[in-house]
């Protein structure tokens, strides 16, 4: 069975959407990635940090889904990373209201021996130096390293971010962040520039407008499933990334053709994430629901057209 090493925030989020708002609830990039990847029956483990204020039951919930949290350090006297955001009416854009790094500010990640030879590594959103440190600790070269990041790190640690981007195979990034990183409005041009920074594959997430996968020569597009109700987009990007790498880790195939399927698997899982506030929908997702929606995805994208020869 493939091993997947995940690094990312395990956090408290407070979210405001046009439909309501939450107090501090479970969130974090690492949490969403772990929950999403857990749908593939692989051996996954998270490296992260939380404070003494973090309820043990959240870690237990991840463990119950076979996500190993032994390398989630608990700093008893510290406070957990906190993020707060507000979504605008279209739910496609949001404003960050607060980012409190707390225990993340002096985090020194320690990869446990069990995951130092993981074939797949997902560098979820957090400080690029933490992402780099995780790569430094690997004892064998992973088959695939995927990196996700966001504007906060472009604003606050750009040089470190560019250094870690050089070291990864795939980057997943949203459209606005791709534009910010490259200064290019066209996503095709932005993807080319990011490709030149190091990654062989670039995935640009466009929220409800789907996702684009680029390599040097090809581009593939997957729509997002048109949903009747979108409640809270928080974590959709991380859920996408967790589904993308989870699918690849399960199939152990890093070809471009398989990455196309992985983009669909990621989009499929992200479509559930947005249906409820926070992690609730992902915590209660069944294999049957995932399967049924994949069928919908196939129907949505398949067509038959005659081509003039
Ligand atoms: P997404 O909606 O997929 O972009 O991710 C939202 C999640 O990212 C939330 O659960 C936050 O806790 C987490 N998050 C927000 N800002 C940051 C940041 N600067 N670094 C790491 N994680 C973050």
């Amino acid at each position: 069975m493939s091993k997947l090493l995940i690094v990312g925030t395990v956090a408290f989020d407070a979210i405001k959407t046009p439909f309501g708002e939450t107090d501090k609830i479970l969130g974090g990039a690492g949490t969403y990635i772990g929950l999403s990847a857990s749908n593939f029956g692989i051996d996954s483990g998270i490296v992260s940090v939380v404070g003494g204020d973090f309820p043990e039951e959240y870690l237990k919930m991840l463990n119950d889904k076979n996500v190993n949290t032994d390398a989630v350090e608990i700093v008893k006297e510290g406070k957990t990373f906190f993020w707060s955001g507000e979504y605008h009416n279209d739910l496609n854009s949001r404003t960050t209201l607060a980012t409190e790094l707390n225990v993340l500010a002096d985090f020194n990640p320690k990869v446990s021996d069990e995951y130092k030879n993981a074939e797949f590594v997902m560098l979820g959103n957090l400080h690029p130096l933490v992402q780099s440190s995780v790569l430094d600790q690997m004892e064998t070269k992973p088959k695939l390293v995927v990196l996700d990041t966001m504007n906060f790190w472009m604003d606050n640690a750009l040089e470190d971010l560019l250094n870690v981007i050089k070291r990864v195979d795939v980057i997943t990034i949203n459209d606005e962040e791709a534009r910010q990183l490259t200064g290019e409005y066209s996503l095709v041009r932005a993807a080319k520039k990011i490709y030149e920074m190091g990654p062989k594959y670039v995935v640009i997430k466009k929220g409800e407008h789907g996702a684009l996968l680029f390599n040097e020569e090809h581009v593939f597009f997957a729509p997002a499933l048109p949903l009747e109700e979108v409640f809270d987009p928080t974590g959709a990007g991380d859920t996408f990334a967790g589904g993308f790498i989870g699918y690849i880790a399960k199939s152990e195939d890093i070809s471009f053709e398989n990455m196309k399927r992985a983009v669909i698997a990621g989009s499929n899982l992200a479509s559930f994430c947005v249906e409820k506030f926070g992690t609730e929908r992902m915590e209660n997702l069944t294999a049957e629901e995932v399967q049924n929606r994949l069928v919908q995805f196939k129907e949505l994208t398949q067509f038959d057209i005659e081509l003039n020869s």
Side-chain angles (χ1 to χ4, degrees):
M1 193 196 291
S2 292
K3 276 189 198 171
L4 169 63
L5 175 64
I6 299 164
V7 58
T9 42
V10 172
F12 286 134
D13 288 348
I15 304 157
K16 244 188 200 177
T17 80
F19 311 112
E21 58 188 285
T22 68
D23 236 349
K24 285 186 173 181
I25 57 170
L26 173 62
T31 308
Y32 282 105
I33 293 167
L35 281 172
S36 185
S38 75
N39 288 285
F40 298 92
I42 48 176
D43 175 356
S44 62
I46 304 185
V47 180
S48 194
V49 65
V50 293
D53 54 352
F54 194 75
E56 228 172 79
E57 70 201 60
Y58 289 161
L59 296 178
K60 187 169 175 308
M61 181 277 293
L62 287 165
N63 299 154
D64 290 345
K65 294 198 169 285
N66 273 330
V67 179
N68 185 316
T69 59
D70 293 351
V72 176
E73 191 190 335
I74 301 170
V75 179
K76 284 226 166 67
E77 62 287 0
K79 278 172 74 181
T80 300
F81 174 85
F82 171 68
W83 175 81
S84 168
E86 176 170 7
Y87 290 85
H88 309 140
N89 278 342
D90 66 353
L91 286 175
N92 250 346
S93 55
R94 72 180 175 205
T95 305
T96 289
L97 303 175
T99 302
E100 293 174 14
L101 295 179
N102 298 329
V103 288
L104 192 68
D106 329 284
F107 178 43
N108 257 323
K110 277 181 205 70
V111 178
S112 56
D113 288 343
E114 213 183 322
Y115 289 93
K116 283 185 176 162
N117 60 353
E119 297 89 347
F120 298 91
V121 178
M122 179 71 227
L123 301 177
N125 192 10
L126 40 55
H127 198 299
L129 285 180
V130 174
Q131 295 175 317
S132 278
S133 163
V134 164
L135 283 187
D136 292 340
Q137 293 174 57
M138 299 307 287
E139 281 173 355
T140 49
K141 189 175 163 15
K143 278 192 189 150
L144 197 77
V145 178
V146 179
L147 175 138
D148 190 77
T149 189
M150 73 186 276
N151 51 356
F152 183 85
W153 303 113
M154 292 173 204
D155 297 336
N156 294 296
L158 184 60
E159 208 179 311
D160 299 326
L161 180 61
L162 293 174
N163 283 334
V164 69
I165 286 177
K166 276 187 207 147
R167 303 176 63 187
V168 308
D169 303 299
V170 184
I171 184 169
T172 64
I173 189 168
N174 81 24
D175 41 6
E176 280 318 306
E177 289 154 359
R179 290 182 174 120
Q180 178 173 344
L181 187 62
T182 60
E184 292 287 353
Y185 187 81
S186 149
L187 293 178
V188 177
R189 286 215 184 117
K192 273 194 187 138
K193 275 205 174 162
I194 297 172
Y195 179 85
E196 281 158 16
M197 294 174 185
K200 292 185 278 305
Y201 305 92
V202 178
V203 179
I204 299 185
K205 301 172 284 183
K206 288 157 52 75
E208 68 168 327
H209 304 298
L212 291 157
L213 165 69
F214 296 86
N215 72 357
E216 192 178 9
E217 296 154 33
H218 301 103
V219 54
F220 172 71
F221 171 69
L225 203 70
L227 294 170
E228 221 161 283
E229 254 187 333
V230 176
F231 216 68
D232 169 21
T234 307
D238 305 313
T239 302
F240 171 90
F244 176 81
I245 192 141
Y247 184 90
I248 294 175
K250 164 100 182 192
S251 51
E252 299 186 345
D253 175 353
I254 58 168
S255 66
F256 188 73
E257 280 311 302
N258 200 49
M259 277 189 198
K260 290 184 187 176
R261 292 187 276 270
V263 167
I264 299 288
S267 302
N268 190 38
L269 285 163
S271 78
F272 290 102
C273 176
V274 302
E275 288 182 335
K276 295 244 164 91
F277 264 115
T279 55
E280 189 185 341
R281 188 68 175 101
M282 297 311 290
E283 286 183 40
N284 298 304
L285 194 56
T286 67
E288 199 188 346
E289 287 174 317
V290 176
Q291 194 55 33
N292 288 344
R293 203 165 272 188
L294 262 185
V295 174
Q296 279 179 272
F297 247 99
K298 250 191 137 168
E299 282 168 4
L300 177 72
T301 49
Q302 259 178 357
F303 59 88
D304 203 5
I305 190 166
E306 224 173 282
L307 296 172
N308 294 328
S309 52

